[in-house]
Amino acid sequence: MLEKYDPRGRAAQADAATRAILVHLDFGDSDHAESAAEFRLLCASAGLFECGYISGRRQRPDPALYAGSGKVEEIAAATAAAAAGVVIFNHMLSPAQQRNLERALSARVVDRTTLILDIFAQRAQSHEGKIQVELAQLRHLATRLVRGWTHLERQKGGIGLRGPGETQLETDRRLLGERVRLLTSRLERVERQREVQRRSRSRGRVFSVSLVGYTNAGKSTLFNALTGAGAYAADQLFATLDTTSRRLRLGSGQEIVISDTVGFIRDLPHTLVAAFRATLEETVRADLLLHVVDASSPARMTQIEEVDAVLREIGADRVPQLLVWNKIDVPREEGGARLEPHVERDEYANISRVYLSARTRAGLDLLRGALVERAAAHNRGPAGDIPDTAQLKGSCAVSVS
């Protein structure tokens, strides 16, 4: 639940840097309501206190201020009244728009891309994750240095301050470029290490499975339910950034490797996808993707499309998928009959969907049976009969090594 601004001081414990005015404009998108709810959850995940929420309809963004002069005046009044230090736009702003808005609002302005990058910076735990986030932030910052601040364009001068003929802006660009090259080199070493590990698994013919899906779909909860790994899971966006892998020995004697990966979201920044390419390689090289879907979300079909779009971008769209409809224990907002644990098969008699609840573990045995079936079919190749999951269901106890 987001904390609202109260003149009597309910949010007084939040400093100005975390008190925010949220701005979400409607350009006629069909999923406006779902996008607005997701935006508020993003801000809450970033640790912000919602001091005000401003919306409005427009046909197209204003070239200079994105929101238009009248709306900007409304935002400025709300910012001053709430003593907010930051204004968050649920949109991607150009450097010029961001600069103009900060001048008009006398407050820091953050767009959707910067907000997501900030959440990733808070969540990164491993050395690799921190490198990936910093690289994404620097690549995003590089687009903001162009004509960003007039004081950066002035030549250094004065006793003890004369530089090697560079303007401050040129110096910043050079230092930023050097840091990007250093981080890119470190990530390349990580990628080579991952490649060695993948080759080792390939020689051992270990069936590799990666969990993918929209953020907060329940991937980490499902990963923990299958493996008992104790990976961090929370009802927040981007709870997982670092890839975690575990070996599973299914009841059939088949051993597989399952990996929990970062979640996707609509309008995922391209700089973030590029920086996390080493991590996402686990997805590209997997033998099977468990595409986890929040069955309780009214925007689940749109979320599936967004995940598939990112998979195409990283070259993982040809990896076989198994849709896992999670959270069937949560009542759906649009109503309808309550979903029960079951599986669906495609026209080739392969299991295409599994309905379960990772939280209550209802239907988890069906997913284990599906993994046994997929792993057996992968090892056997295209020829041969597909085993009956009903027969496998009783022998799918899982052990973790």
Side-chain angles (χ1 to χ4, degrees):
M1 188 73 175
L2 291 173
E3 182 155 355
K4 307 293 184 181
Y5 174 74
D6 187 336
R8 291 170 297 182
R10 268 191 3 155
Q13 70 272 26
D15 56 22
T18 58
R19 296 225 298 261
I21 299 295
L22 279 54
V23 181
H24 178 68
L25 302 180
D26 181 8
F27 295 99
D29 300 326
S30 59
D31 60 346
H32 171 73
E34 291 81 6
S35 179
E38 180 181 275
F39 175 42
R40 287 182 134 143
L41 187 54
L42 270 174
C43 292
S45 299
L48 296 170
F49 291 85
E50 181 185 341
C51 299
Y53 184 89
I54 295 177
S55 61
R57 290 185 65 94
R58 285 187 63 88
Q59 289 186 340
R60 64 185 64 86
D62 181 80
L65 295 169
Y66 196 89
S69 57
K71 186 61 67 174
V72 169
E73 291 177 1
E74 180 184 348
I75 298 170
T79 303
V86 61
V87 178
I88 312 292
F89 277 73
N90 190 28
H91 311 279
M92 286 180 279
L93 304 175
S94 70
Q97 289 169 335
Q98 182 177 354
R99 183 175 67 252
N100 293 338
L101 284 167
E102 288 185 339
R103 288 172 178 168
L105 300 175
S106 299
R108 183 166 176 249
V109 174
V110 172
D111 67 355
R112 180 182 175 88
T113 298
T114 307
L115 176 63
I116 293 175
L117 289 173
D118 186 78
I119 295 173
F120 270 62
Q122 294 181 41
R123 299 283 191 273
Q125 298 295 325
S126 69
H127 177 64
E128 177 189 358
K130 291 177 180 178
I131 292 176
Q132 290 171 323
V133 172
E134 183 183 353
L135 182 58
Q137 288 177 317
L138 291 176
R139 285 172 172 167
H140 181 62
L141 179 62
T143 66
R144 310 277 141 168
L145 286 179
V146 181
R147 298 177 60 84
W149 301 273
T150 55
H151 75 277
L152 294 182
E153 297 172 358
R154 292 199 296 266
Q155 185 76 30
K156 294 178 183 178
I159 300 298
L161 296 176
R162 289 187 176 88
E166 289 183 312
T167 65
Q168 182 63 50
L169 179 58
E170 289 169 341
T171 301
D172 289 349
R173 285 174 177 163
R174 176 173 55 80
L175 295 176
L176 187 147
E178 291 174 357
R179 183 64 177 171
V180 167
R181 285 191 291 274
L182 174 63
L183 295 175
T184 302
S185 175
R186 290 179 179 176
L187 281 182
E188 287 175 352
R189 288 200 297 270
V190 172
E191 189 171 354
R192 287 195 293 269
Q193 292 172 356
R194 288 186 180 275
E195 182 62 29
V196 171
Q197 295 171 352
R198 279 192 291 266
R199 287 177 181 174
S200 176
R201 290 202 300 263
S202 178
R203 286 195 298 269
R205 294 186 60 82
V206 177
F207 188 68
S208 176
V209 178
S210 282
L211 291 169
V212 300
Y214 208 76
T215 183
N216 206 32
K219 296 182 300 299
S220 295
T221 302
L222 179 60
F223 181 76
N224 289 336
L226 284 171
T227 67
Y232 179 68
D235 185 18
Q236 57 185 205
L237 302 185
F238 302 117
T240 299
L241 287 190
D242 302 310
T243 299
T244 304
S245 299
R246 291 290 185 273
R247 284 179 177 264
L248 298 179
R249 186 169 292 107
L250 301 173
S252 63
Q254 174 69 48
E255 187 176 73
I256 69 172
V257 171
I258 185 166
S259 301
D260 187 18
T261 60
V262 62
F264 303 142
I265 197 170
R266 73 186 77 197
D267 300 323
L268 190 67
H270 290 283
T271 53
L272 206 54
V273 175
F276 274 75
R277 188 166 294 276
T279 296
L280 295 174
E281 279 290 311
E282 292 291 332
T283 301
V284 178
R285 304 298 181 88
D287 297 312
L288 176 68
L289 301 181
L290 292 186
H291 185 162
V292 183
V293 180
D294 182 355
S296 67
S297 172
R300 54 187 173 273
M301 301 311 297
T302 301
Q303 293 174 357
I304 291 175
E305 293 173 0
E306 293 289 344
V307 172
D308 286 339
V310 177
L311 292 176
R312 283 193 298 272
E313 185 175 350
I314 64 176
D317 51 320
R318 295 188 178 182
V319 180
Q321 280 192 33
L322 176 61
L323 282 173
V324 179
W325 286 59
N326 188 27
K327 302 186 182 182
I328 62 172
D329 58 308
V330 179
R332 289 183 290 174
E333 292 185 7
E334 68 272 25
R338 191 180 188 89
L339 296 173
E340 297 294 334
H342 68 283
V343 299
E344 292 181 0
R345 292 183 178 270
D346 58 21
E347 63 271 24
Y348 303 105
N350 296 317
I351 295 178
S352 57
R353 291 186 182 184
V354 179
Y355 293 79
L356 54 77
S357 169
R359 186 179 66 85
T360 66
R361 299 177 176 248
L364 204 61
D365 55 340
L366 298 175
L367 178 58
R368 290 168 177 158
L371 290 174
V372 170
E373 180 176 311
R374 288 296 188 101
H378 177 267
N379 292 337
R380 187 173 56 248
D385 298 327
I386 297 176
D388 184 2
T389 303
Q391 297 176 3
L392 291 169
K393 183 174 176 181
S395 61
C396 291
V398 62
S399 61
V400 185
S401 59

